[in-house]
Amino acid sequence: MALTERHGEVHGRRQDAPYGDRARSGVRDGAPASETGRPPGPPGPRRGRPRSRTVERAIADAVLRLADEGVSPDGLSVERIARTAGVGKATIYRRWPGKDELLADVLAAVEGPPPRPRGRSVRDDLVALVDFLRAQALDRRSAALLHLALTEAGAHPALARRYRETVLAPRRAAVREVLRRGVASGELRADLDPELLTDLFTGPVLARAVLYPGEPPPAGPAARIVDALLDGARSPDR
């Protein structure tokens, strides 16, 4: 089940309908006395389960809190996550088939989608994308979960696969789109390898997350990073 990030809140898309005590007992509101054993009357108050959005936010917050405390994926058991979130294990399993899928969805929600290229210039679009990557690296909880996903990829292949699909793939696609547009417009050299240049733009942030967990990326505007890479990529006519 996917999570989304809106206005600083991690929540899910699914909402469960509330149910009341009378519905649980199988008694129909307004049923005759012969069926209920008591005179019919107005339905009582309906005490529903907490909204799914609230429950999923609590689960996501629990994952982030534990990751921020340095708990490893092996230590992030469903039981521990449920206990930290104040829910039962069944509540988690109703929403995710396993722990790796839960971790990947939380990471994707925290990271968020990359900005859509505006198409004004290759440089401007790449600066916006690098700014986004740097902002994510500066978020302490996001960086902790990212480090967890990358360093434990070998032991948790399902988590690594989901991370590539939900987080890395959209980022790489956004960078490739800008680079290919630059080649088509003549802003960039025609012989550029978009895949290789995409690695150069996205790789450093991931490398620092693994090698220097908890440390912010080097200071300096994103424009300096983009210009350093574009110096060798621009068309000679530009």
Side-chain angles (χ1 to χ4, degrees), residues 129-190:
L129 288 169
V130 172
D131 261 335
F132 166 78
L133 296 177
R134 284 174 52 81
Q136 297 304 114
L138 288 171
D139 182 88
R140 184 168 53 89
R141 284 189 165 185
S142 175
L145 197 56
L146 171 61
H147 178 262
L148 181 149
L150 294 177
T151 56
E152 300 292 335
H156 298 269
L159 173 59
R161 182 181 65 254
R162 291 272 294 167
Y163 174 72
R164 289 193 299 268
E165 294 171 351
T166 60
V167 178
L168 289 186
R171 291 180 177 183
R172 293 181 60 83
V175 174
R176 279 197 305 268
E177 177 187 344
V178 174
L179 296 175
R180 287 171 176 162
R181 194 186 72 236
V183 171
S185 67
E187 293 179 74
L188 302 179
R189 299 199 327 259

Side-chain angles (χ1 to χ4, degrees), residues 73-84:
D74 290 333
L76 274 173
S77 64
V78 170
E79 181 177 2
R80 186 169 184 179
I81 294 170
R83 184 170 63 249
T84 303

